Amino acid sequence: LLWQAALGCRAAQVLMQYCILANHYWFLVEAVYLYKLLIGAVFSEKNYYRLYLYLGWGTPVVFVVPWMAAKYLKENAEGGGAGLGVPHAVFSPPHQINLLIFMRILKVILAKLRANQKGYADYKLRLAKATLTLIPLFGIHEVVFIFATDEQTTGILRYVKVFFTLFLNSFQGFLVAVLYCFANKEVKSEMKKKWQLWKLDH
């Protein structure tokens, strides 16, 4: 029973590390995809979707599998030592990349809003709204505490960091779904059609 419990714990740890890395790489995929839509083609139309899938789901495997093997060998050699550090802390894509793409996209949005300033008198409000909606999509909230490591944060700052990190990471998918799916006019229109068809059938 002990070895089964230990195996289950290791499997859960590996799965958790994979999910964290996949989450970070999908931030990057979302940023690159939106950048492509607004500014121009990053990949050819023929193969960009497959590349996104490889980057989002495949790249974490490239890092997690060797980490898992190295951790296993190190723990066996040291008789169940502390093992290696977590891979997401080392192999996550730099959040600065997302931040740079984020700034470029905001620059394009600002230019487009200024060009249509007559039609949109409240362009500053629209820019603020675009900024706030892009933050959860790109994972920009991660940048807030990038320089405040666990070792450097103590007292109230540590609790604030943990709260915001856990809250934003836990609800990031929900925020993206609400902002980009359920608040989308086309999605709401399709949902309304499906609801009306369902009512007619029943």
Side-chain angles (χ1 to χ4, degrees):
L1 291 174
L2 283 174
W3 71 267
Q4 288 179 335
L7 186 63
C9 287
R10 287 184 177 183
Q13 187 181 21
V14 169
L15 181 62
M16 183 186 75
Q17 295 303 327
Y18 173 80
C19 291
I20 292 171
L21 268 177
N23 185 46
H24 289 176
Y25 276 97
W26 275 106
F27 283 150
L28 179 61
V29 169
E30 289 163 351
V32 171
Y33 180 69
L34 190 57
Y35 183 85
K36 173 188 174 294
L37 288 178
L38 287 174
I39 296 172
V42 176
F43 305 120
S44 67
E45 290 296 324
K46 185 178 178 181
N47 60 7
Y48 77 87
Y49 181 72
R50 188 170 291 177
L51 285 172
Y52 291 150
L53 290 177
Y54 289 152
L55 180 60
W57 294 121
T59 308
V61 175
V62 173
F63 297 122
V64 169
V65 170
W67 168 79
M68 179 179 63
K71 184 176 175 66
Y72 176 76
L73 293 172
K74 184 177 174 70
E75 286 180 353
N76 283 348
E78 295 180 358
L84 300 175
V86 291
H88 74 262
V90 180
F91 301 119
S92 292
H95 292 293
Q96 293 90 330
I97 295 174
N98 276 15
L99 186 61
L100 288 173
I101 296 173
F102 175 74
M103 299 303 291
R104 287 290 308 271
I105 288 173
L106 285 184
K107 188 177 176 183
V108 171
I109 292 171
L110 178 61
K112 288 184 177 182
L113 289 173
R114 278 184 175 167
N116 297 323
Q117 194 171 348
K118 291 179 181 177
Y120 304 110
D122 59 341
Y123 81 96
K124 288 183 181 178
L125 182 64
R126 286 173 175 265
L127 180 65
K129 185 180 175 184
T131 304
L132 290 173
T133 54
L134 286 174
I135 285 172
L137 183 70
F138 284 10
I140 299 299
H141 58 272
E142 299 271 356
V143 178
V144 175
F145 293 107
I146 198 167
F147 299 109
T149 61
D150 289 338
E151 293 78 18
Q152 294 171 332
T153 53
T154 56
I156 295 174
L157 181 60
R158 186 178 182 85
Y159 290 117
V160 169
K161 179 189 174 182
V162 169
F163 173 78
F164 276 103
T165 302
L166 291 175
F167 179 81
L168 291 170
N169 284 345
S170 299
F171 289 97
Q172 187 253 346
F174 175 74
L175 287 171
V176 170
V178 168
L179 294 170
Y180 291 91
C181 183
F182 299 114
N184 184 287
K185 289 180 181 178
E186 292 176 6
V187 173
K188 287 195 287 188
S189 175
E190 285 298 318
M191 288 177 70
K192 189 176 179 181
K193 286 178 187 175
K194 294 287 184 185
W195 174 248
Q196 288 172 345
L197 286 171
W198 183 86
K199 285 200 301 184
L200 286 172
D201 288 341
H202 295 80

